[in-house]
Amino acid sequence: MAGTITEKILAKHIVEGEAKMGCEVALKIDNTLTQDATGTMAYLQFEAIGIDRVKTQFSVSFVDHNTLQTDFKNADDHRFLESVAKRYGIYFSKPGNGICHQLFLERFAIPGNTLIGSDSHTPTAGGIGCFAMGAGGLDVACAMAGEPFRIKYPKIVGIKLTGKLNPWVSAKDVILEVLSRVDVKGNVGKVFEYFGDGVKTLSVPDRATITNMGTETGCTTSIFPSDEVTRQFLIAQGREKDFVPLVADDDAVYDEVIEIDLSSVEPMVALPHSPGLVKKVREVGPIKVDQVAIGSCTNSSLRDLKIVARILKGKTISDTLHMFISPGSRQVVEHLVNDGEYVDLVRAGARIIENACGPCIGMGCAPASGSVSVRTFNRNFEGRSGTKDAKVYLASPETAAATALTGYLTDPRDLGGDSTIELPERFIVNDNMIIKPLPEEEAKKVEIVRGPNIKPLPTFDPLSDTLKGKALIKVGDNITTDHIMPAGARVLPFRSNIPEISKFVFEAVDPDFYRKARESGGGFIIGGENYGQGSSREHAALAPKYLGVKAVVVKSFARIHLANLINFGIVPLTFRNPEDYDRIDEGDNLEIEIGDLKGACVLKNATKNITIELEHTLSEKDAEILKCGGKLPWLKSR
Ligand code: MIC
Ligand code: SF4
């Protein structure tokens, strides 16, 4: 039978369930990745499962988020992660080596494999033809223990690319174009699969920029074919043996097709505060910009920094603006140094910072009050930069660099000249910051090192049939996990300490949330559409659970957050009639009869003396997990 890439990969990995859109399937997972901010929790959970060594083909632990070491906390986490990796047969990438997704693409990703990562931008590896999904840390821990990963069999949306990008237009503009068409909500359960003649005009790093930011649509993943361009990339990385050809058949059938003529794509920009608020740079016009930041897992590849260096060479950035660059990996840096481009960047006035997530997750480089920052990143949620009233625009490296020169949002096509970048036939390969897994016998002797900030996992009781409590907070549409559980330099060091991090839940939305939740002994969260969009951080479920949140009742959920709620025993429910959202106010006393969670539920609003019908999309297994109080107790009960 003719097939899409998605169908081909999934057919080889389904171990349970029917390959039919919307049906739950369990997938064998070949590889996993974690990063430090979600990794400590994931490995604490892996330890709790009690397996002696990871059961995947290989697993990798990266350190790239929490690299600011203002006290012992982050350094202790790094040491914990390193010892866990040694103990359980996991590759460990040391802090400073680079951003997990960039490194995974360069050094690990294999076409046709399945990958889950405790980071929502894991689909970056889709640029090489890997079926890669973001997941909560507990799901990654389970996959490392050999458990399959469950998803709803996706709706496969083919994105047909034709033509070729014009000079100064690049992959970021393509994904911004996609976002302008499909927005950040309404894409749960879809896979965006790229095909068509235009695909071969895009390099693997270009493709990875597109699949990376595909995450912002809320889809399950995005994927490109593995073709001759992929083979050349793997040869250049010294990994030809990892090449597997993988293309959709000519007569493959997609559930829906979106066509993009690459030659018609223009430089685009996402306006504050959503990656889905996309306009053409020309339409927005020359707004004054105070800061430019280049980097993040979306746009920190060698290609991206080479084009920036070309634009800045021999020039000086605008006097009225500051510029940061965070390269994606040491490989990128080594090339820039060797080819003299590093000097071009430094001389132009850019502040080059560590190869890490850095400003993307509010780890330094926060913009000044009320200022405008143009960033090559993938998210511009309010406050994420560390400055609540900053206005963050998302753009391509070309647009960002052109803007750095003028001090105003600038269409890079105004620069003129040559914009083609040749990638090296052979990249400089230096894996000396990747520690390989130890042989099994040696690994068993490794002692895991824990700092005082690494607190034991909280435990939770099974759920009763009736949930009672107050509506603790009522929020609107598109609430991100950054709203629920903020990140940034102040909060991230508490990722291994749930009692402490729970004090920050909903901090920017309602600074009183923690107190209210504590005083009421928990309760409910009421929300709108696309609740929990954004990151994979399970702390956005775990910390509310710790504060006694019993159910979240919303109009619709984002995929990874929904899974995390189930994993930690918070019941995710939706309104049968979205208008009923208006019939609950903060502070109302609510009661939800959940029974065995097999069917719909009824919510009684005792304050208003009304009943409201609720629904859910829980499978039987999800219901069992919830009733046990979460996935860990459920696993133990088996
Ligand atoms: C993000 O971009 O928001 C993060 C930080 O990478 C998160 C993971 C986390 O919160 O640790 C993500 O995207 O999953
Ligand atoms: Fe890191 Fe930003 Fe990428 Fe998240 S989106 S992995 S914080 S670079």
Side-chain angles (χ1 to χ4, degrees), residues 65 99-101 119 121 296-297 357 360-361 378-379 384:
H65 281 63
I99 305 176
C100 57
H101 307 302
D119 192 282
H121 291 103
S296 92
C297 54
C357 299
C360 178
I361 192 56
N378 47 37
R379 288 184 176 144
R384 181 175 160 102

Side-chain angles (χ1 to χ4, degrees), residues 35 37-38 65 119-121 361 379 384 495 535-537:
Q35 39 89 340
T38 53
H65 281 63
D119 192 282
S120 65
H121 291 103
I361 192 56
R379 288 184 176 144
R384 181 175 160 102
R495 282 289 180 94
S535 86
S536 70
R537 64 189 72 142

Side-chain angles (χ1 to χ4, degrees), residues 565-599:
L565 290 173
I566 298 169
N567 283 351
F568 294 103
I570 297 183
V571 187
L573 296 163
T574 49
F575 294 102
R576 170 159 295 165
N577 303 309
E579 306 81 61
D580 284 339
Y581 168 85
D582 298 326
R583 300 169 74 209
I584 305 178
D585 289 308
E586 196 183 301
D588 284 359
N589 284 311
L590 312 178
E591 189 177 314
I592 309 176
E593 199 66 51
I594 57 164
D596 58 8
L597 277 169
K598 297 250 160 74

Side-chain angles (χ1 to χ4, degrees), residues 76-151:
D76 281 3
D77 280 357
H78 304 166
R79 191 173 56 177
F80 167 76
L81 292 169
E82 185 169 343
S83 63
V84 165
K86 284 192 176 136
R87 171 64 189 84
Y88 293 112
I90 299 162
Y91 285 88
F92 180 71
S93 167
K94 290 167 76 174
N97 199 30
I99 305 176
C100 57
H101 307 302
Q102 173 69 22
L103 287 170
F104 198 87
L105 188 78
E106 290 173 359
R107 306 304 309 141
F108 293 100
I110 299 178
N113 269 16
T114 50
L115 162 73
I116 65 169
S118 61
D119 192 282
S120 65
H121 291 103
T122 303
T124 313
I128 217 168
C130 176
F131 198 85
M133 294 163 286
L138 179 49
D139 283 325
V140 175
C142 289
M144 289 190 287
E147 279 278 317
F149 179 62
R150 291 171 192 279
I151 57 166

Side-chain angles (χ1 to χ4, degrees), residues 194-211:
Y194 290 81
F195 72 107
D197 266 0
V199 165
K200 62 174 183 297
T201 67
L202 299 172
S203 70
V204 167
D206 292 337
R207 298 172 185 186
T209 292
I210 295 171
T211 57

Side-chain angles (χ1 to χ4, degrees), residues 175-398:
I175 187 59
L176 288 172
E177 170 69 32
V178 171
L179 274 155
S180 79
R181 299 201 197 181
V182 307
D183 201 7
V184 295
K185 62 177 198 298
N187 302 303
V188 171
K190 296 182 186 172
V191 166
F192 290 112
E193 180 172 320
Y194 290 81
F195 72 107
D197 266 0
V199 165
K200 62 174 183 297
T201 67
L202 299 172
S203 70
V204 167
D206 292 337
R207 298 172 185 186
T209 292
I210 295 171
T211 57
N212 170 286
M213 203 173 170
T215 294
E216 272 49 68
T217 67
C219 67
T220 304
T221 190
S222 307
I223 191 162
F224 270 85
S226 169
D227 56 9
E228 187 49 30
V229 175
T230 319
R231 196 172 76 90
Q232 289 307 326
F233 178 80
L234 284 168
I235 292 174
Q237 290 287 354
R239 301 206 285 127
E240 188 176 9
K241 63 168 188 6
D242 289 339
F243 177 68
V244 179
L246 188 63
V247 290
D249 296 318
D250 288 341
D251 47 353
V253 182
Y254 298 92
D255 297 314
E256 188 190 325
V257 173
I258 296 175
E259 283 202 39
I260 297 182
D261 173 4
L262 294 175
S263 64
S264 70
V265 177
E266 290 192 34
M268 309 289 266
V269 64
L271 314 186
H273 301 286
S274 171
L277 260 179
V278 177
K279 283 207 164 150
K280 293 181 178 143
V281 172
R282 286 246 158 101
E283 267 167 31
V284 180
I287 51 165
K288 187 174 176 311
V289 176
D290 308 285
Q291 185 197 62
V292 162
I294 290 177
S296 92
C297 54
T298 320
N299 279 122
S300 59
S301 71
L302 183 59
R303 189 220 81 93
D304 290 340
L305 297 201
K306 270 181 174 288
I307 191 78
V308 172
R310 171 152 337 147
I311 295 168
L312 298 189
K313 188 180 168 81
K315 307 212 169 82
T316 299
I317 60 167
S318 163
D319 282 353
T320 59
L321 167 150
H322 300 261
M323 181 180 200
F324 293 94
I325 298 179
S326 40
S329 69
R330 281 188 316 143
Q331 183 179 76
V332 172
V333 174
E334 275 198 61
H335 275 282
L336 295 173
V337 170
N338 269 6
D339 301 345
E341 288 143 334
Y342 200 92
V343 176
D344 298 331
L345 298 171
V346 172
R347 209 167 268 166
R351 292 168 67 179
I352 306 195
I353 51 175
E354 197 178 14
N355 317 322
C357 299
C360 178
I361 192 56
M363 271 285 173
C365 315
S369 295
S371 66
V372 171
S373 179
V374 170
R375 301 177 157 210
T376 65
F377 309 166
N378 47 37
R379 288 184 176 144
N380 57 348
F381 305 145
E382 191 177 3
R384 181 175 160 102
S385 65
T387 304
K388 190 156 194 306
D389 61 359
K391 292 180 238 6
V392 176
Y393 291 71
L394 306 173
S396 71
E398 290 84 344

